[in-house]
């Protein structure tokens, strides 16, 4: 027997089942009260008009007003239930979807950075609080209304059934005519928004090299495609909505004509003529509302499908037992790493050990796998085979929140987040002023920060505000050094540094050595290598050589020397 595991979205909806049932219960009472206008008109025409009894008219009117107020109160309560259930749904899923969006960006190197999952959740929540959902709560009452119309007169019932069938055909035609094209438009719109976001992140490159017009033309192709698809869908939906409106309005008039004929034939009373028209309008209202909100329904259905599939594909993180604080010993056991989205391994079976307190320089040509090694050691990218261990435990088995406070990482592309400099250095946790200043001094950026208008309280944007690339890199280095980490990974830490910055980096390495922190430095510059203990040389994802710095340098120099000249053979003398 196959067991189907529910996704987080299905589980969240199941938790909200009670609220949906309550909303359905209120819908039952509301639809029961919706019969009141028909009964009121029936009584007015058959009892009041024929007898002229004003007191009966007054009492009937007062009762109807009270019931209408009750119905309005019930509708308000129902809407509040759906507002609360939609808010609860978002609270149940938004953290999970935030992590998914983060993982998508993490595992794609930022190429798939998007807020689409959270946008889908917001769209689904808005649909749950709109009028479109009410139509689905009211639809089950259609048979009851149609049954009452049959009680009024069989012709009333069959006329209403025929009209309902016509409206259902229009609804089905709307589905067929718009669903596929709207889904395609939504997909193109998502791709276009993603491309625009990536272009905006590279605004300086685009502006400096005069690429704006060409980039805009490429973006416009997608934008125009979306407009074209949405225009086609809207045109078709508008035509079918107009047809639905014609059917509904004409049927309400025709049923009055039918009722007048039946009154003339003395088969029904004048009150039933009016009541039947009102009741048929109420019976067909859900279909008409579904057709009117069909675009929103299609969007909500697509959003639900995308979220459900996404939550199934990316399971929630497992909770890991807290391990003892790490010390910094790294061990790679036949580690094979394939970057997310790729099929070819970049690191191919690495075996090495980095002891606690070692400062290791990682060198090699471009594309050798140096940055991939950094991401794998930090547990950002998983191994496809083998293992990478931190103090004997696979790095993926560590609780990230716990491990993060012992890790320092300076990537090639420095990103400072919106907030104060102090918050950036303290990693947006509880700020320990002493540790913030200590980290800034280790990165030799303390004096620079003090010269800023508000010092450590200076607010910077995601691009670092007016800070230069070297200043951002040194603040990023201070962030990596905050909290006395046991493992520090520096990826091209001196790419934007001047001589003073490089001197500060060398001082920071000396202090990390004194604290027995394990350090990996990925660099193309030889100046910083003077402070390393060991060198690791990668070539095409393979470990070329690894060991103490002097031995590795001697080995490399020996490989680069030309072979010794072979003395020519002496000619034999006859």
């Amino acid at each position: 027997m196959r067991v189907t595991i529910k996704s987080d979205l299905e589980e969240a909806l199941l938790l909200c089942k009670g609220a949906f049932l309550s909303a359905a219960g209120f819908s039952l009472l509301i639809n029961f009260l919706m019969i009141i206008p028909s009964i009121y008109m029936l009584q007015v025409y058959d009892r009041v008009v024929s007898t002229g009894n004003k007191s009966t008219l007054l009492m009937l009117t007062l009762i109807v007003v009270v019931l209408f107020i009750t119905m309005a109160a019930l509708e308000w309560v129902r809407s509040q239930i759906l507002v609360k259930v939609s808010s609860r749904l978002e609270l149940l899923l938004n953290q999970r979807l935030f992590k998914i969006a983060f993982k998508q960006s993490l595992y794609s190197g930022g190429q798939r950075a998007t807020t689409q999952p959270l946008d889908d959740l917001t769209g689904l929540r808005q649909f749950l609080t709109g009028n479109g959902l009410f139509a689905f709560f009211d639809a089950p009452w259609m048979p009851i209304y149609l049954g009452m119309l049959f009680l009024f007169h069989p012709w009333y019932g069959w006329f209403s059934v025929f009209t309902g069938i016509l409206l259902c055909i229009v609804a089905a035609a709307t589905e067929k005519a718009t669903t596929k094209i709207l889904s395609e438009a939504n997909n193109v719109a998502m791709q276009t928004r993603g491309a625009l976001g990536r272009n905006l992140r590279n605004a300086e490159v685009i502006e400096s090299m005069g690429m704006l017009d060409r980039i805009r033309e490429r973006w416009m192709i997608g934008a125009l495609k979306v407009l074209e698809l949405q225009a086609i869908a809207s045109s078709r939906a508008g035509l079918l909505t107009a047809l639905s409106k014609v059917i509904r309005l004409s049927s309400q008039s025709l049923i009055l004509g039918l009722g007048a004929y039946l009154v003339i034939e003395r088969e029904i009373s004048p009150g039933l003529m009016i009541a039947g028209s009102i009741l048929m309008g109420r019976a067909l209202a859900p279909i008409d509302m579904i057709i009117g909100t069909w675009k929103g329904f299609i969007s909500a259905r697509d959003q639900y499908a995308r979220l459900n599939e996404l939550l199934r594909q990316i399971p929630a993180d497992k909770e890991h037992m807290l391990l003892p604080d790490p010390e910094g010993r790294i061990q790679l056991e036949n580690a094979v790493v394939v970057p997310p989205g790729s099929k070819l391994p970049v690191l191919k079976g690495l075996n090495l050990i980095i002891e606690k307190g070692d400062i290791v320089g990682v060198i090699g040509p471009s594309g050798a796998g140096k940055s991939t090694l950094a991401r794998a050691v930090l547990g950002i990218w998983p191994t496809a085979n083998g293992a990478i261990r931190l103090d004997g435990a696979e790095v993926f088995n560590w609780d990230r929140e716990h491990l993060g406070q012992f890790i320092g990482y300076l990537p090639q592309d420095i990103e400072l987040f919106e907030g104060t400099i102090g918050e950036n250095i303290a990693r947006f946790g509880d700020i320990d002023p002493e540790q913030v200043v200590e980290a800034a001094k280790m990165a030799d950026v303390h004096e620079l920060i003090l010269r800023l208008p508000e010092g450590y309280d200076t607010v910077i944007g995601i691009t670092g505000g007016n800070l230069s690339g070297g200043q951002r890199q040194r603040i990023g280095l201070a962030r990596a050094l905050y909290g006395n980490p046991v493992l520090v990974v520096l990826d091209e830490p001196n790419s934007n540094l001047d001589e003073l910055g490089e001197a500060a980096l060398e001082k920071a390495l000396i202090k990390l050595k004194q604290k027995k922190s394990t350090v990996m430095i990925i660099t193309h510059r030889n100046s910083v290598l003077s402070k390393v203990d060991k060198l690791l040389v990668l070539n095409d994802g393979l470990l070329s050589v690894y060991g103490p710095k002097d031995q590795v340098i001697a080995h490399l120099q020996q490989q680069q020397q030309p072979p010794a000249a072979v003395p020519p053979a002496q000619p034999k003398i006859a």
Side-chain angles (χ1 to χ4, degrees), residues 101-169:
F102 176 78
K103 279 187 175 182
Q104 286 182 318
S105 177
L106 183 68
Y107 293 157
S108 66
Q111 296 302 310
R112 293 176 59 194
T114 176
T115 60
Q116 188 61 43
L118 293 167
D119 294 340
D120 283 343
L121 180 61
T122 300
L124 189 59
R125 176 181 59 79
Q126 290 173 343
F127 176 77
L128 291 177
T129 57
N131 292 330
L133 188 62
F134 294 154
F136 292 93
F137 281 118
D138 296 340
W141 275 77
M142 284 182 58
I144 297 174
Y145 292 139
L146 292 174
M148 292 183 64
L149 285 166
F150 273 103
L151 289 177
F152 285 1
H153 194 280
W155 286 14
Y156 265 12
W158 289 118
F159 181 85
S160 301
V161 168
F162 176 73
T163 305
I165 291 173
L166 286 179
L167 289 174
C168 287
I169 291 173

Side-chain angles (χ1 to χ4, degrees), residues 360-366 368-371 373 492 520-526 528-529 532 534-546 549 552-553 556 560:
V360 179
V362 183
I363 60 176
S366 297
K370 302 185 296 296
S371 294
L373 175 62
E492 301 290 352
M520 284 181 58
I521 305 174
I522 299 168
T523 183
H524 284 96
R525 293 188 181 182
N526 294 331
V528 75
L529 296 179
V532 306
K534 296 179 179 179
L535 277 179
L536 190 161
V537 183
L538 289 176
N539 193 358
D540 193 26
L542 297 171
L543 181 61
S544 178
V545 60
Y546 173 58
K549 177 181 63 176
V552 172
I553 291 175
L556 294 176
Q560 292 173 359

Side-chain angles (χ1 to χ4, degrees), residues 306-551:
R306 283 195 298 268
L307 288 175
N308 213 26
E309 181 66 21
L310 189 64
L311 290 166
R312 287 185 186 278
Q313 287 179 350
I314 305 179
D317 292 333
K318 295 180 180 179
E319 291 188 8
H320 298 288
M321 186 186 79
L322 288 181
L323 297 172
D325 293 349
E327 295 183 358
R329 184 177 187 270
I330 303 295
Q331 183 174 1
L332 278 73
E333 301 173 349
N334 195 33
V336 177
V337 179
V338 180
S342 176
K343 296 181 180 179
L344 299 176
V346 172
L347 298 183
K348 306 166 184 177
L350 298 191
N351 287 283
L352 61 96
I353 294 176
I354 301 175
E355 297 292 349
K356 168 181 167 58
D358 281 349
I359 298 182
V360 179
V362 183
I363 60 176
S366 297
K370 302 185 296 296
S371 294
T372 299
L373 175 62
R375 294 185 179 102
V377 167
L378 293 169
I380 297 173
W381 286 356
T383 54
N385 191 29
I388 298 177
R389 301 184 182 276
L390 174 61
D391 293 348
E394 282 202 54
V395 69
F396 261 84
N397 290 338
W398 286 81
D399 179 81
R400 299 309 303 183
E401 291 294 325
H402 176 238
L403 179 62
Q405 59 187 309
F406 301 99
I407 299 292
Y409 179 41
L410 182 68
Q412 289 188 37
D413 300 322
I414 305 300
E415 292 286 351
L416 297 179
F417 304 99
E418 292 187 66
T420 66
I421 290 179
E423 288 174 330
N424 271 273
I425 295 176
R427 308 178 184 186
F428 290 88
D430 295 332
I431 296 178
D432 185 332
E434 292 184 2
Q435 290 196 28
V436 169
V437 172
E438 180 185 358
K441 286 182 176 179
M442 284 182 67
D444 199 22
V445 75
H446 174 67
E447 297 296 332
L448 181 148
I449 294 172
L450 292 181
R451 288 195 295 270
L452 294 174
E454 297 181 57
Y456 284 90
D457 294 321
T458 301
V459 177
I460 55 178
I462 55 175
T463 59
N466 295 322
L467 299 175
S468 68
Q471 291 169 337
R472 291 201 304 271
Q473 195 158 35
R474 285 160 71 177
I475 292 175
L477 178 60
R479 181 177 62 192
L481 301 176
Y482 177 80
N484 299 317
V486 300
L487 172 62
V488 179
V489 178
L490 307 175
D491 194 350
E492 301 290 352
N494 52 353
S495 59
N496 292 313
L497 298 182
D498 54 15
E499 291 183 3
L500 292 176
E502 291 217 17
L505 176 61
E506 292 182 7
K507 291 179 183 178
L509 292 176
I510 294 173
K511 292 180 180 179
L512 287 172
K513 182 68 175 177
Q514 293 171 351
K515 294 181 178 182
K516 296 190 178 301
S517 297
T518 304
V519 183
M520 284 181 58
I521 305 174
I522 299 168
T523 183
H524 284 96
R525 293 188 181 182
N526 294 331
S527 56
V528 75
L529 296 179
S530 62
K531 302 302 179 185
V532 306
D533 305 315
K534 296 179 179 179
L535 277 179
L536 190 161
V537 183
L538 289 176
N539 193 358
D540 193 26
L542 297 171
L543 181 61
S544 178
V545 60
Y546 173 58
K549 177 181 63 176
D550 294 337
Q551 294 181 17

Side-chain angles (χ1 to χ4, degrees), residues 9-227:
L9 179 56
E10 291 169 331
E11 291 285 356
L13 289 173
L14 193 60
L15 288 174
C16 299
K17 180 180 177 181
F20 283 118
L21 290 176
S22 298
F26 278 97
S27 295
L28 185 149
L29 296 174
I30 291 168
N31 280 277
F32 179 76
L33 293 174
M34 283 291 185
I35 304 173
I36 291 171
S38 300
I39 297 176
Y40 179 73
M41 296 304 298
L42 178 63
Q43 296 300 319
V44 166
Y45 271 88
D46 290 351
R47 290 179 178 271
V48 175
V49 174
S50 60
T51 62
N53 193 325
K54 295 180 181 178
S55 59
T56 302
L57 176 62
L58 177 61
M59 291 305 298
L60 285 172
T61 303
L62 289 175
I63 292 172
V64 166
V65 169
V66 171
L67 291 176
F68 278 159
I69 293 173
T70 303
M71 183 173 66
L74 292 174
E75 287 192 339
W76 181 82
V77 172
R78 181 177 68 171
S79 67
Q80 292 304 301
I81 290 174
L82 292 178
V83 167
K84 290 186 180 299
V85 75
S86 64
S87 298
R88 186 186 180 194
L89 187 66
E90 181 150 350
L91 289 174
L92 286 170
L93 293 174
N94 59 6
Q95 292 187 34
R96 174 92 163 82
L97 292 172
F98 178 87
K99 289 183 178 180
I100 286 177
F102 176 78
K103 279 187 175 182
Q104 286 182 318
S105 177
L106 183 68
Y107 293 157
S108 66
Q111 296 302 310
R112 293 176 59 194
T114 176
T115 60
Q116 188 61 43
L118 293 167
D119 294 340
D120 283 343
L121 180 61
T122 300
L124 189 59
R125 176 181 59 79
Q126 290 173 343
F127 176 77
L128 291 177
T129 57
N131 292 330
L133 188 62
F134 294 154
F136 292 93
F137 281 118
D138 296 340
W141 275 77
M142 284 182 58
I144 297 174
Y145 292 139
L146 292 174
M148 292 183 64
L149 285 166
F150 273 103
L151 289 177
F152 285 1
H153 194 280
W155 286 14
Y156 265 12
W158 289 118
F159 181 85
S160 301
V161 168
F162 176 73
T163 305
I165 291 173
L166 286 179
L167 289 174
C168 287
I169 291 173
V170 172
T174 304
E175 157 81 6
K176 187 173 180 63
T178 60
T179 299
K180 185 177 180 180
I181 197 165
L182 281 175
S183 296
E184 184 181 354
N186 289 334
N187 291 332
V188 174
M190 285 190 293
Q191 294 171 5
T192 304
R193 284 198 301 269
L196 178 61
R198 291 189 292 272
N199 292 336
L200 292 175
R201 287 194 294 272
N202 292 280
E204 291 182 1
V205 175
I206 294 171
E207 177 68 15
S208 63
M209 293 191 285
M211 298 165 57
L212 181 60
D213 288 342
R214 282 162 286 173
I215 293 294
R216 187 185 65 244
E217 287 174 4
R218 293 173 67 90
W219 171 77
M220 280 297 294
I221 292 173
L224 291 174
K225 181 67 174 176
V226 172
L227 289 176

